[in-house]
């Protein structure tokens, strides 16, 4: 995105403040609608504060002149994810209304396909926007996997934890940080995770079908991550061999 030479932090920070305010308003509406307990309130508020702090810091470091329409869509989706997070935390005490839970999650998943299109059509694509979108996606998958794991078992947590495990592993093995080639299969698997977990969380399916849906989601994710890790490993080995060959050529020449 083309940026203006002037930068006013207040203009973009106001956007994150509004987002935090809308998040708290959503929590108030949920609390009055279902009588949300302390766990839901505290978790929802923690999400709102953490989101505001992290996004504000990222915006300050990126020095974006404008928050942008695509980021506003992602911020709205993050607000819904905060509501879903509060409902999941509250579900440890009492099950949330299925219609409300499914509705919030479904809208958040649908909006996942909107912010990217808005960014491309308005010419406001940024690295920050892409990272913001990815982090919201990953956190929603984690929250849904926590909820589904309460009925299917802790193995479902692998779905939500896999991306964070990959990030942690990349700190130990830097070759995992290399850029991956575009992949329709990777995007499809990532998009289906939320759909499959929502189906499993909805309670609309019998236990066997719910188990199969969650297992399919995990298997697809393992395949996708495994394929990418193998590609990164082979590429890093090739690059190392090329570097060694170049050094030897320089030494012997």
């Amino acid at each position: 995105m083309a940026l203006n030479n002037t930068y006013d932090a207040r203009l973009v920070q106001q956007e994150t403040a509004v987002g935090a305010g809308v998040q708290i308003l959503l929590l108030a509406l949920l609390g009055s609608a279902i009588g949300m307990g302390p766990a839901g309130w505290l978790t929802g508020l923690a999400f709102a504060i953490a989101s505001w702090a992290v996004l504000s810091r990222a915006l300050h470091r990126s020095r974006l002149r404008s928050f942008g329409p695509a980021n506003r869509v992602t911020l709205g989706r993050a607000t819904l994810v905060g509501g879903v997070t509060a409902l999941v935390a509250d579900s440890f005490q009492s099950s949330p209304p299925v219609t409300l839970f499914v509705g919030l999650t479904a809208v958040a998943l649908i909006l996942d396909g909107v912010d990217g299109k808005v960014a491309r059509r308005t010419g406001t694509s940024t690295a920050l926007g892409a990272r913001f979108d990815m982090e919201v996606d990953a956190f929603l998958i984690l929250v849904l996997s926590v909820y589904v794991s309460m009925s299917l078992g802790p193995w479902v947590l692998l779905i939500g934890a896999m991306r964070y495990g990959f990030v942690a592993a990349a700190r130990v093995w830097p070759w995992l940080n290399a850029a991956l080639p575009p992949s329709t299969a990777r995007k499809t698997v990532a998009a289906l995770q939320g759909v499959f977990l929502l189906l499993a969380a909805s309670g609309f399916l019998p236990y066997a079908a719910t188990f199969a849906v969650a297992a399919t989601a995990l298997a697809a994710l393992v395949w996708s991550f495994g394929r990418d890790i193998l590609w990164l490993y082979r590429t890093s080995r090739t690059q190392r061999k090329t570097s060694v060959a170049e050094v030897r050529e320089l030494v012997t020449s």
Side-chain angles (χ1 to χ4, degrees), residues 135-208:
E135 294 299 339
V136 172
D137 290 343
F139 194 79
L140 177 58
I141 297 304
L142 176 63
V143 169
L144 290 177
S145 67
V146 169
Y147 184 75
V148 176
S149 71
M150 288 188 281
S151 59
L152 294 184
W155 63 269
V156 183
L157 294 173
L158 292 172
I159 299 174
M162 200 168 298
R163 189 257 172 182
Y164 295 101
F166 181 86
V167 172
R171 293 181 177 273
V172 181
W173 298 292
W175 51 268
L176 289 171
N177 287 312
L180 287 163
S183 171
T184 302
R186 185 190 310 120
K187 292 179 180 180
T188 301
V189 170
L192 287 176
Q193 295 304 305
V195 177
F196 283 173
L197 285 174
L198 178 57
L199 280 174
S202 66
F204 297 152
L205 303 175
Y207 180 85

Side-chain angles (χ1 to χ4, degrees), residues 15-27 48 52 79:
E15 303 270 6
T16 61
V18 170
V22 173
Q23 179 72 80
I24 294 173
L25 176 60
L26 176 60
L27 292 176
W52 169 79
T79 300

Side-chain angles (χ1 to χ4, degrees), residues 3-14:
L3 302 180
N4 192 296
N5 291 329
T6 60
Y7 169 71
D8 188 346
R10 294 172 298 177
L11 295 177
V12 291
Q13 298 299 341
Q14 287 172 359

